[in-house]
Amino acid sequence: MDNLAFEMQEDGTQKASSMGKSSISSKVEKKRQWSLLSIFLLCLLACFITTAVGALTLSLVYINAKPHFEQEASPPHTMVPQGQKAIDPKFQFLNHLPKSQVFEFPGGAIQWARYRNNINDYLSDEEEAFGTSLNSLRSQMTLGTLRIKSKGLRAPHWHFNANEHGYLVQGTAWVGVVDDDGEVATTYNVTAGQVIFFPQNTLHWIKNVGHEDCFFLLFFSTHDELQTLDLDDAFFSTPEDIASRSLKPEGGINFIRKFQKQTEDQGVNLPPNLAELVTNATYVQSPDSIVWRYFFDLKGSKEYKFPGGVIQLAQYWKDAHELNSNEKIFNEFIHQHQNILALSTLRIYNNGLRQPHFHFNANEMGYVVSGCGKRVFDFDDHLCGQALYTKLCSMLL
């Protein structure tokens, strides 16, 4: 028997089920459409924001970079004051010393490669550039050449602010040194190729006892203006008996009393009658134990060879086992003083090379005695008689 009620209920349930499924599908479809639209809108908004930020960034970059580009587009100009020529940078490291001012005295002449407090004391702009470089880089260097005529004398003097190291290039000289206490006068003979040393505030003098000119290279341990007092500046205010005991000249106090004061103050002063008085003087060489404090036989020292030449050194050695007994006296004495220099000779064979190098604890200054060369700061010149300085031991070339 057919149950109509059952059939109707079943039919209604099926319809309701179909209608429910249709409604759910519609909702899912609408939700899916909204999700896609949301994603599209979000992407569109992100693109807009990114574009805006990018445009703003480019604008700022362009505004800030524009002056820089315009500045680079125009060529740079170096302002040189009217009437003043540009100085070649090489003169920070090069001095044409033979062209510098000559300070003459009756016994010879002195020339300087040095710093001067008064720029008007420089003879040229190039000389000023070199002196300024020495001082600004705190090089602890000053260089001078001393020429003493035959039988001439560099009058007794001392330096307040520097030690002095000297190398005798030519001639034969008699050297006198008075120690710090003014009690001991040391005298000794020096020939070409040998080194002399005078500590700061030590009175000393040099006399040419040969027939040719003496030519010294003098190195001083200061980058400030060298402070020197000649004996003639203070001598006449010093009691004659004290001066006689300090200098110990032949003739004693009577010799001192014969000095006559100069009417003109010279850079290096020699009393007019002094050369005549010392011409026939006889000296006694001091004991080696004293002489070797102020003297070093550089030409007789050990040679350090390299493929392009040879080097000899007058310096302080921590390991002194290769030094002879006299050299050890010099080594120990200079080590007792501050701001000492290391003096050396460098001989480079024809077409030879001193290979690239540098010094960790010192600057370097050199004087070219002979030959031609090319320096690391890239100039090629006939360098004989010129002073070189690099920010690299005080070296004689």
Side-chain angles (χ1 to χ4, degrees):
M1 178 177 173
D2 295 330
N3 190 338
L4 295 176
F6 178 78
E7 288 178 356
M8 288 179 63
Q9 184 178 0
E10 187 179 25
D11 206 33
T13 303
Q14 288 176 355
K15 288 181 179 180
S17 177
S18 293
M19 290 179 64
K21 289 180 179 180
S22 178
S23 176
I24 292 171
S25 297
S26 177
K27 289 180 179 180
V28 170
E29 186 66 27
K30 288 180 179 181
K31 194 171 184 179
R32 181 180 298 165
Q33 292 176 357
W34 172 248
S35 297
L36 292 174
L37 181 61
S38 299
I39 292 172
F40 173 77
L41 291 175
L42 287 174
C43 290
L44 184 63
L45 180 61
C47 290
F48 176 79
I49 293 173
T50 302
T51 302
V53 171
L56 180 60
T57 303
L58 289 175
S59 298
L60 291 174
V61 170
Y62 177 77
I63 291 173
N64 291 331
K66 187 175 180 181
H68 178 65
F69 295 148
E70 289 178 351
Q71 184 177 3
E72 289 185 348
S74 59
H77 297 282
T78 302
M79 298 301 294
V80 179
Q82 189 174 4
Q84 180 181 348
K85 64 178 182 179
I87 305 301
D88 192 322
K90 75 180 182 182
F91 287 106
Q92 298 178 42
F93 312 102
L94 172 69
N95 180 286
H96 293 289
L97 199 141
K99 297 181 180 180
S100 65
Q101 184 175 355
V102 179
F103 295 87
E104 295 185 351
F105 60 98
I110 295 177
Q111 290 179 281
W112 295 102
R114 62 187 280 187
Y115 167 75
R116 296 187 178 278
N117 291 323
N118 186 351
I119 61 173
N120 295 323
D121 290 338
Y122 291 112
L123 202 61
S124 65
D125 293 335
E126 290 80 8
E127 190 177 70
E128 179 184 349
F130 185 81
T132 302
S133 175
L134 292 181
N135 185 261
S136 62
L137 297 173
R138 304 188 67 80
S139 64
Q140 296 291 336
M141 300 284 185
T142 288
L143 171 63
T145 59
L146 170 65
R147 186 177 296 276
I148 306 177
K149 301 175 184 177
S150 177
K151 310 304 178 183
L153 174 74
R154 173 63 173 101
H157 64 283
W158 57 90
H159 310 287
F160 296 114
N161 63 336
N163 299 310
E164 177 180 349
H165 297 249
Y167 177 85
L168 182 56
V169 178
Q170 169 189 299
T172 304
W174 189 262
V175 176
V177 188
V178 178
D179 66 8
D180 293 340
D181 298 328
E183 296 180 354
V184 179
T186 303
T187 55
Y188 54 95
N189 201 50
V190 180
T191 57
Q194 297 177 328
V195 167
I196 55 177
F197 169 64
F198 306 125
Q200 179 177 330
N201 283 328
T202 300
L203 184 68
H204 55 279
W205 64 93
I206 306 172
K207 183 182 185 301
N208 184 344
V209 293
H211 297 291
E212 61 178 346
D213 287 359
C214 281
F215 183 68
F216 280 92
L217 300 177
L218 304 178
F219 295 85
F220 302 87
S221 60
T222 181
H223 52 259
D224 293 322
E225 188 163 38
L226 185 65
Q227 298 176 7
T228 301
L229 179 63
D230 291 336
L231 180 62
D232 63 306
D233 295 326
F235 180 77
F236 299 101
S237 61
T238 303
E240 294 173 345
D241 58 335
I242 294 178
S244 177
R245 287 198 301 269
S246 298
L247 298 177
K248 296 181 174 61
E250 185 179 14
I253 194 169
N254 292 327
F255 176 83
I256 299 297
R257 287 173 178 167
K258 292 179 181 178
F259 278 47
Q260 298 176 7
K261 187 173 182 179
Q262 291 280 59
T263 56
E264 180 183 358
D265 185 21
Q266 299 173 334
V268 180
N269 201 350
L270 178 68
N273 63 333
L274 183 58
E276 178 186 352
L277 293 170
V278 300
T279 298
N280 298 319
T282 56
Y283 301 99
V284 177
Q285 176 93 3
S286 299
D288 286 350
S289 59
I290 301 178
V291 169
W292 280 83
R293 295 188 302 175
Y294 308 104
F295 166 82
F296 189 87
D297 184 16
L298 185 58
K299 67 179 181 181
S301 65
K302 180 179 178 179
E303 295 184 347
Y304 295 88
K305 296 181 179 180
F306 60 96
V310 61
I311 297 175
Q312 291 177 282
L313 297 159
Q315 65 173 25
Y316 169 70
W317 298 92
K318 289 183 178 180
D319 183 3
H321 74 278
E322 292 187 351
L323 303 179
N324 61 42
S325 57
N326 286 334
E327 290 174 341
K328 289 179 180 179
I329 295 173
F330 179 84
N331 193 63
E332 294 171 2
F333 185 69
I334 62 172
H335 189 52
Q336 298 171 14
H337 300 85
Q338 295 181 342
N339 298 327
I340 58 169
L341 303 178
L343 202 64
S344 68
T345 55
L346 169 64
R347 183 179 297 277
I348 303 177
Y349 304 138
N350 186 32
N351 293 322
L353 171 70
R354 176 67 173 101
Q355 58 268 40
H357 64 284
F358 51 89
H359 309 284
F360 296 107
N361 62 341
N363 298 302
E364 176 180 339
M365 177 180 282
Y367 181 91
V368 182
V369 177
S370 64
C372 305
K374 189 172 183 179
R375 200 59 179 160
V376 292
F377 35 84
D378 196 23
F379 70 87
D380 201 352
D381 202 354
H382 294 277
L383 296 180
C384 183
Q386 298 181 12
L388 304 175
Y389 164 70
T390 56
K391 271 192 66 182
L392 288 176
C393 108
S394 180
M395 180 174 287
L396 165 68
L397 300 181

